[in-house]
mmCIF file of all heavy atoms in Angstrom:
data_model
loop_
_atom_site.group_PDB
_atom_site.id
_atom_site.type_symbol
_atom_site.label_atom_id
_atom_site.label_comp_id
_atom_site.label_asym_id
_atom_site.label_seq_id
_atom_site.Cartn_x
_atom_site.Cartn_y
_atom_site.Cartn_z
ATOM 1 N N ALA A 182 104.490 132.621 84.153
ATOM 2 C CA ALA A 182 103.334 132.701 85.032
ATOM 3 C C ALA A 182 102.604 134.017 84.835
ATOM 4 O O ALA A 182 103.225 135.067 84.671
ATOM 5 C CB ALA A 182 103.750 132.559 86.492
ATOM 6 N N SER A 183 101.284 133.957 84.868
ATOM 7 C CA SER A 183 100.461 135.158 84.831
ATOM 8 C C SER A 183 99.365 135.026 85.872
ATOM 9 O O SER A 183 98.939 133.922 86.200
ATOM 10 C CB SER A 183 99.864 135.382 83.447
ATOM 11 O OG SER A 183 99.023 134.301 83.069
ATOM 12 N N GLY A 184 98.914 136.152 86.406
ATOM 13 C CA GLY A 184 97.887 136.151 87.434
ATOM 14 C C GLY A 184 98.443 136.571 88.776
ATOM 15 O O GLY A 184 99.425 137.309 88.846
ATOM 16 N N ARG A 185 97.824 136.068 89.829
ATOM 17 C CA ARG A 185 98.159 136.498 91.187
ATOM 18 C C ARG A 185 99.211 135.594 91.806
ATOM 19 O O ARG A 185 98.900 134.527 92.347
ATOM 20 C CB ARG A 185 96.893 136.521 92.050
ATOM 21 C CG ARG A 185 95.772 137.387 91.489
ATOM 22 C CD ARG A 185 96.191 138.851 91.412
ATOM 23 N NE ARG A 185 95.130 139.684 90.866
ATOM 24 C CZ ARG A 185 94.950 139.954 89.578
ATOM 25 N NH1 ARG A 185 95.784 139.442 88.684
ATOM 26 N NH2 ARG A 185 93.952 140.718 89.182
ATOM 27 N N THR A 186 100.451 136.036 91.717
ATOM 28 C CA THR A 186 101.570 135.326 92.333
ATOM 29 C C THR A 186 101.871 135.937 93.696
ATOM 30 O O THR A 186 102.052 137.147 93.805
ATOM 31 C CB THR A 186 102.823 135.392 91.451
ATOM 32 O OG1 THR A 186 102.516 134.889 90.147
ATOM 33 C CG2 THR A 186 103.936 134.564 92.047
ATOM 34 N N HIS A 187 101.926 135.106 94.721
ATOM 35 C CA HIS A 187 102.129 135.567 96.086
ATOM 36 C C HIS A 187 103.526 135.226 96.576
ATOM 37 O O HIS A 187 104.176 134.312 96.054
ATOM 38 C CB HIS A 187 101.089 134.947 97.019
ATOM 39 C CG HIS A 187 99.681 135.265 96.656
ATOM 40 N ND1 HIS A 187 99.094 136.457 96.994
ATOM 41 C CD2 HIS A 187 98.753 134.549 95.981
ATOM 42 C CE1 HIS A 187 97.848 136.466 96.542
ATOM 43 N NE2 HIS A 187 97.622 135.320 95.929
ATOM 44 N N VAL A 188 103.955 135.941 97.605
ATOM 45 C CA VAL A 188 105.277 135.713 98.166
ATOM 46 C C VAL A 188 105.412 134.294 98.695
ATOM 47 O O VAL A 188 106.524 133.758 98.765
ATOM 48 C CB VAL A 188 105.584 136.743 99.276
ATOM 49 C CG1 VAL A 188 104.695 136.516 100.490
ATOM 50 C CG2 VAL A 188 107.051 136.707 99.667
ATOM 51 N N THR A 189 104.309 133.668 99.049
ATOM 52 C CA THR A 189 104.325 132.310 99.580
ATOM 53 C C THR A 189 104.201 131.236 98.497
ATOM 54 O O THR A 189 104.153 130.050 98.817
ATOM 55 C CB THR A 189 103.195 132.110 100.594
ATOM 56 O OG1 THR A 189 101.936 132.427 99.987
ATOM 57 C CG2 THR A 189 103.404 133.002 101.811
ATOM 58 N N SER A 190 104.163 131.629 97.232
ATOM 59 C CA SER A 190 104.015 130.665 96.149
ATOM 60 C C SER A 190 105.240 129.779 96.006
ATOM 61 O O SER A 190 106.362 130.205 96.238
ATOM 62 C CB SER A 190 103.750 131.373 94.822
ATOM 63 O OG SER A 190 102.486 131.990 94.807
ATOM 64 N N VAL A 191 104.990 128.533 95.605
ATOM 65 C CA VAL A 191 106.039 127.586 95.256
ATOM 66 C C VAL A 191 105.798 127.140 93.821
ATOM 67 O O VAL A 191 104.697 126.706 93.479
ATOM 68 C CB VAL A 191 106.045 126.368 96.192
ATOM 69 C CG1 VAL A 191 107.045 125.321 95.707
ATOM 70 C CG2 VAL A 191 106.353 126.796 97.617
ATOM 71 N N LEU A 192 106.814 127.245 92.992
ATOM 72 C CA LEU A 192 106.735 126.799 91.610
ATOM 73 C C LEU A 192 107.514 125.499 91.477
ATOM 74 O O LEU A 192 108.683 125.439 91.862
ATOM 75 C CB LEU A 192 107.290 127.851 90.657
ATOM 76 C CG LEU A 192 106.362 129.011 90.242
ATOM 77 C CD1 LEU A 192 105.149 128.472 89.501
ATOM 78 C CD2 LEU A 192 105.926 129.842 91.437
ATOM 79 N N GLY A 193 106.865 124.477 90.948
ATOM 80 C CA GLY A 193 107.472 123.166 90.848
ATOM 81 C C GLY A 193 107.507 122.646 89.429
ATOM 82 O O GLY A 193 106.647 122.969 88.608
ATOM 83 N N TRP A 194 108.528 121.840 89.142
ATOM 84 C CA TRP A 194 108.639 121.102 87.888
ATOM 85 C C TRP A 194 108.415 119.622 88.165
ATOM 86 O O TRP A 194 109.008 119.060 89.090
ATOM 87 C CB TRP A 194 110.014 121.293 87.247
ATOM 88 C CG TRP A 194 110.226 122.624 86.603
ATOM 89 C CD1 TRP A 194 110.881 123.692 87.122
ATOM 90 C CD2 TRP A 194 109.790 123.010 85.293
ATOM 91 N NE1 TRP A 194 110.887 124.728 86.215
ATOM 92 C CE2 TRP A 194 110.223 124.339 85.089
ATOM 93 C CE3 TRP A 194 109.080 122.364 84.278
ATOM 94 C CZ2 TRP A 194 109.961 125.033 83.905
ATOM 95 C CZ3 TRP A 194 108.823 123.058 83.110
ATOM 96 C CH2 TRP A 194 109.264 124.372 82.930
ATOM 97 N N PHE A 195 107.561 119.017 87.349
ATOM 98 C CA PHE A 195 107.299 117.588 87.386
ATOM 99 C C PHE A 195 107.492 117.023 85.992
ATOM 100 O O PHE A 195 107.497 117.760 85.005
ATOM 101 C CB PHE A 195 105.875 117.305 87.868
ATOM 102 C CG PHE A 195 105.643 117.605 89.320
ATOM 103 C CD1 PHE A 195 105.578 118.907 89.779
ATOM 104 C CD2 PHE A 195 105.480 116.573 90.230
ATOM 105 C CE1 PHE A 195 105.361 119.189 91.112
ATOM 106 C CE2 PHE A 195 105.261 116.840 91.572
ATOM 107 C CZ PHE A 195 105.202 118.147 92.012
ATOM 108 N N ARG A 196 107.643 115.701 85.904
ATOM 109 C CA ARG A 196 107.735 115.080 84.589
ATOM 110 C C ARG A 196 106.970 113.766 84.587
ATOM 111 O O ARG A 196 106.795 113.123 85.612
ATOM 112 C CB ARG A 196 109.190 114.862 84.176
ATOM 113 C CG ARG A 196 109.974 113.881 85.040
ATOM 114 C CD ARG A 196 111.452 113.942 84.669
ATOM 115 N NE ARG A 196 112.253 112.967 85.389
ATOM 116 C CZ ARG A 196 113.577 112.920 85.356
ATOM 117 N NH1 ARG A 196 114.253 113.802 84.625
ATOM 118 N NH2 ARG A 196 114.230 111.988 86.045
ATOM 119 N N GLN A 197 106.514 113.395 83.397
ATOM 120 C CA GLN A 197 105.738 112.172 83.236
ATOM 121 C C GLN A 197 106.156 111.469 81.956
ATOM 122 O O GLN A 197 105.984 112.009 80.864
ATOM 123 C CB GLN A 197 104.242 112.476 83.222
ATOM 124 C CG GLN A 197 103.361 111.249 83.256
ATOM 125 C CD GLN A 197 101.915 111.587 83.560
ATOM 126 O OE1 GLN A 197 101.488 112.728 83.438
ATOM 127 N NE2 GLN A 197 101.149 110.588 83.965
ATOM 128 N N ALA A 198 106.708 110.281 82.104
ATOM 129 C CA ALA A 198 107.084 109.451 80.976
ATOM 130 C C ALA A 198 105.921 108.544 80.607
ATOM 131 O O ALA A 198 105.041 108.281 81.433
ATOM 132 C CB ALA A 198 108.320 108.626 81.316
ATOM 133 N N PRO A 199 105.885 108.028 79.374
ATOM 134 C CA PRO A 199 104.792 107.145 78.961
ATOM 135 C C PRO A 199 104.617 105.960 79.908
ATOM 136 O O PRO A 199 105.585 105.278 80.240
ATOM 137 C CB PRO A 199 105.231 106.681 77.577
ATOM 138 C CG PRO A 199 106.095 107.788 77.070
ATOM 139 C CD PRO A 199 106.828 108.282 78.281
ATOM 140 N N GLY A 200 103.388 105.743 80.353
ATOM 141 C CA GLY A 200 103.083 104.638 81.233
ATOM 142 C C GLY A 200 103.531 104.821 82.672
ATOM 143 O O GLY A 200 103.434 103.880 83.465
ATOM 144 N N LYS A 201 104.008 106.009 83.022
ATOM 145 C CA LYS A 201 104.516 106.270 84.364
ATOM 146 C C LYS A 201 103.696 107.338 85.069
ATOM 147 O O LYS A 201 102.956 108.090 84.446
ATOM 148 C CB LYS A 201 105.980 106.727 84.300
ATOM 149 C CG LYS A 201 106.926 105.748 83.634
ATOM 150 C CD LYS A 201 107.155 104.522 84.486
ATOM 151 C CE LYS A 201 108.235 103.641 83.881
ATOM 152 N NZ LYS A 201 108.509 102.463 84.727
ATOM 153 N N GLU A 202 103.840 107.394 86.391
ATOM 154 C CA GLU A 202 103.214 108.442 87.184
ATOM 155 C C GLU A 202 103.951 109.756 86.995
ATOM 156 O O GLU A 202 105.130 109.780 86.647
ATOM 157 C CB GLU A 202 103.228 108.062 88.664
ATOM 158 C CG GLU A 202 102.438 106.822 89.020
ATOM 159 C CD GLU A 202 100.956 107.080 89.033
ATOM 160 O OE1 GLU A 202 100.549 108.208 89.369
ATOM 161 O OE2 GLU A 202 100.196 106.158 88.709
ATOM 162 N N ARG A 203 103.247 110.860 87.235
ATOM 163 C CA ARG A 203 103.884 112.165 87.243
ATOM 164 C C ARG A 203 104.738 112.277 88.505
ATOM 165 O O ARG A 203 104.240 112.058 89.616
ATOM 166 C CB ARG A 203 102.837 113.276 87.207
ATOM 167 C CG ARG A 203 103.433 114.670 87.059
ATOM 168 C CD ARG A 203 102.360 115.726 86.827
ATOM 169 N NE ARG A 203 101.624 115.489 85.590
ATOM 170 C CZ ARG A 203 100.747 116.329 85.061
ATOM 171 N NH1 ARG A 203 100.508 117.500 85.661
ATOM 172 N NH2 ARG A 203 100.111 116.014 83.948
ATOM 173 N N VAL A 204 106.015 112.595 88.337
ATOM 174 C CA VAL A 204 106.946 112.613 89.458
ATOM 175 C C VAL A 204 107.622 113.967 89.602
ATOM 176 O O VAL A 204 107.809 114.703 88.634
ATOM 177 C CB VAL A 204 108.025 111.512 89.339
ATOM 178 C CG1 VAL A 204 107.384 110.137 89.355
ATOM 179 C CG2 VAL A 204 108.858 111.701 88.084
ATOM 180 N N PHE A 205 108.006 114.257 90.820
ATOM 181 C CA PHE A 205 108.636 115.519 91.162
ATOM 182 C C PHE A 205 110.036 115.625 90.591
ATOM 183 O O PHE A 205 110.791 114.651 90.591
ATOM 184 C CB PHE A 205 108.685 115.647 92.690
ATOM 185 C CG PHE A 205 109.441 116.839 93.189
ATOM 186 C CD1 PHE A 205 108.864 118.099 93.165
ATOM 187 C CD2 PHE A 205 110.718 116.708 93.695
ATOM 188 C CE1 PHE A 205 109.549 119.202 93.631
ATOM 189 C CE2 PHE A 205 111.416 117.800 94.164
ATOM 190 C CZ PHE A 205 110.821 119.052 94.133
ATOM 191 N N VAL A 206 110.383 116.821 90.123
ATOM 192 C CA VAL A 206 111.721 117.095 89.620
ATOM 193 C C VAL A 206 112.418 118.150 90.479
ATOM 194 O O VAL A 206 113.511 117.924 91.000
ATOM 195 C CB VAL A 206 111.697 117.564 88.154
ATOM 196 C CG1 VAL A 206 113.097 117.952 87.687
ATOM 197 C CG2 VAL A 206 111.112 116.478 87.260
ATOM 198 N N SER A 207 111.778 119.313 90.625
ATOM 199 C CA SER A 207 112.402 120.413 91.345
ATOM 200 C C SER A 207 111.351 121.442 91.718
ATOM 201 O O SER A 207 110.271 121.484 91.130
ATOM 202 C CB SER A 207 113.492 121.061 90.476
ATOM 203 O OG SER A 207 114.211 122.043 91.194
ATOM 204 N N ALA A 208 111.669 122.289 92.699
ATOM 205 C CA ALA A 208 110.770 123.364 93.107
ATOM 206 C C ALA A 208 111.570 124.530 93.656
ATOM 207 O O ALA A 208 112.690 124.355 94.144
ATOM 208 C CB ALA A 208 109.770 122.879 94.155
ATOM 209 N N VAL A 209 110.979 125.717 93.587
ATOM 210 C CA VAL A 209 111.598 126.924 94.113
ATOM 211 C C VAL A 209 110.530 127.787 94.772
ATOM 212 O O VAL A 209 109.411 127.896 94.258
ATOM 213 C CB VAL A 209 112.342 127.708 93.003
ATOM 214 C CG1 VAL A 209 111.375 128.175 91.914
ATOM 215 C CG2 VAL A 209 113.092 128.905 93.586
ATOM 216 N N THR A 210 110.855 128.398 95.908
ATOM 217 C CA THR A 210 109.935 129.340 96.537
ATOM 218 C C THR A 210 110.069 130.692 95.865
ATOM 219 O O THR A 210 111.176 131.166 95.602
ATOM 220 C CB THR A 210 110.207 129.478 98.046
ATOM 221 O OG1 THR A 210 111.536 129.980 98.263
ATOM 222 C CG2 THR A 210 110.058 128.141 98.748
ATOM 223 N N TRP A 211 108.923 131.302 95.562
ATOM 224 C CA TRP A 211 108.929 132.566 94.842
ATOM 225 C C TRP A 211 109.557 133.676 95.659
ATOM 226 O O TRP A 211 110.322 134.481 95.148
ATOM 227 C CB TRP A 211 107.506 132.951 94.431
ATOM 228 C CG TRP A 211 107.463 134.053 93.437
ATOM 229 C CD1 TRP A 211 107.047 135.335 93.651
ATOM 230 C CD2 TRP A 211 107.863 133.987 92.070
ATOM 231 N NE1 TRP A 211 107.154 136.068 92.502
ATOM 232 C CE2 TRP A 211 107.660 135.261 91.513
ATOM 233 C CE3 TRP A 211 108.368 132.967 91.258
ATOM 234 C CZ2 TRP A 211 107.947 135.552 90.186
ATOM 235 C CZ3 TRP A 211 108.664 133.255 89.940
ATOM 236 C CH2 TRP A 211 108.452 134.528 89.419
#
């Protein structure tokens, strides 16, 4: 990550398989 990261930021991982919707995998609070 670069730029303005705040204490309240949440970073999330998502994944998208062919022909599928983008779905949630995991997240962490900064």
Side-chain angles (χ1 to χ4, degrees):
S183 61
R185 304 297 179 271
T186 305
H187 301 279
V188 68
T189 56
S190 292
V191 174
L192 278 298
W194 285 99
F195 290 72
R196 65 190 184 188
Q197 188 167 18
K201 302 289 187 178
E202 297 284 328
R203 186 172 298 188
V204 298
F205 174 78
V206 175
S207 186
V209 62
T210 61
W211 193 251

